[in-house]
Amino acid sequence: MQGAVPVGEGGAGGAVPEQAEVLLGAARARVDPELRRAIGSLPAAMRRVARHHFGWSDGQDAVPVPRRPAGPPPGAPPGRAGKAVRPALVLAATEALGGRPETAVRAAAAVELTHNFTLLHDDVMDRDTTRRHRPTAWTVFGDADAILAGDALQALAQRLLADDPHPAGPAAVAQLAHCVVELCEGQQADTALERRAPAEVTLDECLAMAEAKTGALLGCACALGARYAGAGPGAVAAMDAFGREAGLAFQLIDDIIGIWGDPARTGKAAGADLLARKKSLPVVAALTSGTAAGAELAVLYARPPGEGELPALVSAVERAGGRDWAQAQAADRMSRAVQDLSRAVPEPGAAEGLLALAEFVTRRSA
């Protein structure tokens, strides 16, 4: 496994690596019908919100909330429900450990429903107005309906596993429930960090928060795949560790894209986190760098957001080494992930799918 490359160069600049593209496409094809069946079982009001969030409707049946934030109109073209990284990890982990991926489709759908529950809630808390090139659910249906739809997706995820006749179902329900608590812990830590002064936040705290908020679900996805393959406790734990390290790399790259990514590819405004004074990993690395640029960034972060300040913020983070640190840290985390994977899947050939997905995580641009 090679280290991460800078966003916009090499693999990050365009196409998904071929093997990862095949795995992601296969995961979408297998999991999408299960997702649609699950969401189709929701009461009409929550089903409408969920369908909009997943990009399965054009939003024409929405009731706009007052003073709707600027963004794409409700009639924006239907999109695709994300890249399916987490479902692909479930299915690839099952196959890597000798199982049949088709037996783990419900588990893969449960993980994707859980992921989208967190997105619906995050968008409300962060006041993000666009996701996947579409208006976020809360901007179209209001806060309450978006939150309740997220709650319903989390319940659907648990029900899918509880109703699954596969022998791994009961253990999977318990593991996913533990994961949801950890996700909530990570989100709470994230919001708490935002209330603290920049000088009071450490990198270790931010990395711990990122592992809970992002790494936990990728770890759970890989662990559930191992369970559905009938793997023992050691392999399940190693797969969880692999996913967590890959998840940290994922978050590091996501934070880089949030500052330097192309809005045409990401579907979100570049630098929005900086303007919102979010303490993302590259930002905290810059703030704690002990450099003049880091001190400059701290002064800028202490001020209310101002018009035209974004270039200065981006420049300060980069000059203070925030981008370079995040790239190097992502490469280190992927190196650790590969070591964890080798404990669960000693045969390199069997791990090719998981490695391809991990490479995609650190070489993406959106």
Side-chain angles (χ1 to χ4, degrees):
M1 172 66 64
Q2 297 299 312
V5 296
V7 173
E9 298 179 22
V16 178
E18 184 176 354
Q19 187 175 6
E21 186 174 18
V22 170
L23 291 168
L24 293 169
R28 280 192 296 268
R30 280 176 163 156
V31 173
D32 190 71
E34 194 70 49
L35 289 174
R36 289 177 181 269
R37 277 193 292 271
I39 288 169
S41 72
L42 290 174
M46 285 180 284
R47 182 170 68 244
R48 187 166 60 245
V49 179
R51 284 179 55 79
H52 169 84
H53 170 75
F54 276 93
W56 297 340
S57 67
D58 61 10
Q60 294 294 342
D61 55 353
V63 179
V65 297
R67 297 187 302 278
R68 217 178 106 83
R80 192 167 64 187
K83 298 179 183 67
V85 170
R86 292 157 189 82
L89 285 170
V90 175
L91 302 180
T94 302
E95 187 168 24
L97 287 161
R100 292 165 39 233
E102 60 269 24
T103 67
V105 169
R106 283 194 183 184
V111 168
E112 187 69 352
L113 287 167
T114 301
H115 173 53
N116 282 277
F117 134 69
T118 69
L119 297 183
L120 281 161
H121 285 197
D122 284 359
D123 286 341
V124 173
M125 286 183 272
D126 295 342
R127 311 315 283 172
D128 285 335
T129 58
T130 58
R131 182 175 292 280
R132 300 166 183 157
H133 305 275
R134 293 168 57 78
T136 47
W138 72 269
T139 69
V140 177
F141 301 93
D143 289 3
D145 280 4
I147 291 168
L148 290 169
D151 294 342
L153 294 190
Q154 200 237 113
L156 282 180
Q158 297 290 330
R159 191 175 76 188
L160 276 181
L161 294 177
D163 291 345
D164 193 347
H166 193 285
V173 171
Q175 183 148 12
L176 186 60
H178 283 296
C179 177
V180 169
V181 173
E182 191 172 356
L183 292 172
C184 293
E185 179 187 23
Q187 180 65 14
Q188 190 280 328
D190 189 19
T191 57
L193 289 174
E194 295 311 309
R195 295 192 293 268
R196 288 161 53 184
E200 298 174 355
V201 177
T202 69
L203 264 178
D204 285 344
E205 287 178 304
C206 289
L207 286 167
M209 176 271 292
E211 180 178 351
K213 184 176 175 180
T214 303
L217 189 55
L218 269 74
C220 184
C222 296
L224 293 191
R227 289 189 183 279
Y228 272 71
V236 171
M239 291 300 294
D240 181 75
F242 162 74
R244 285 174 180 272
E245 294 291 357
L248 272 174
F250 185 102
Q251 186 60 58
L252 286 153
I253 297 302
D254 198 61
D255 286 350
I256 292 169
I257 291 169
I259 298 174
W260 292 279
D262 179 1
R265 296 184 60 81
T266 65
K268 298 180 75 172
D273 285 353
L274 292 176
L275 296 176
R277 301 302 191 256
K278 293 282 288 183
K279 298 179 183 72
S280 65
L281 287 162
V283 166
V284 176
L287 288 169
T288 58
S289 65
T291 63
E296 177 185 330
L297 179 64
V299 171
L300 290 169
Y301 251 52
R303 299 173 183 166
E307 187 175 350
E309 69 173 3
L310 184 57
L313 288 165
V314 173
S315 173
V317 175
E318 184 144 20
R319 286 184 288 110
R323 185 176 188 174
D324 288 343
W325 175 87
Q327 289 282 5
Q329 185 71 201
D332 178 63
R333 294 294 176 171
M334 283 314 308
S335 177
R336 299 186 197 186
V338 172
Q339 292 175 16
D340 291 322
L341 180 59
S342 67
R343 292 192 288 116
V345 189
E347 173 52 49
E352 282 184 0
L354 288 167
L355 289 172
L357 291 170
E359 181 179 13
F360 164 65
V361 162
T362 55
R363 292 176 177 262
R364 63 199 180 92
S365 59

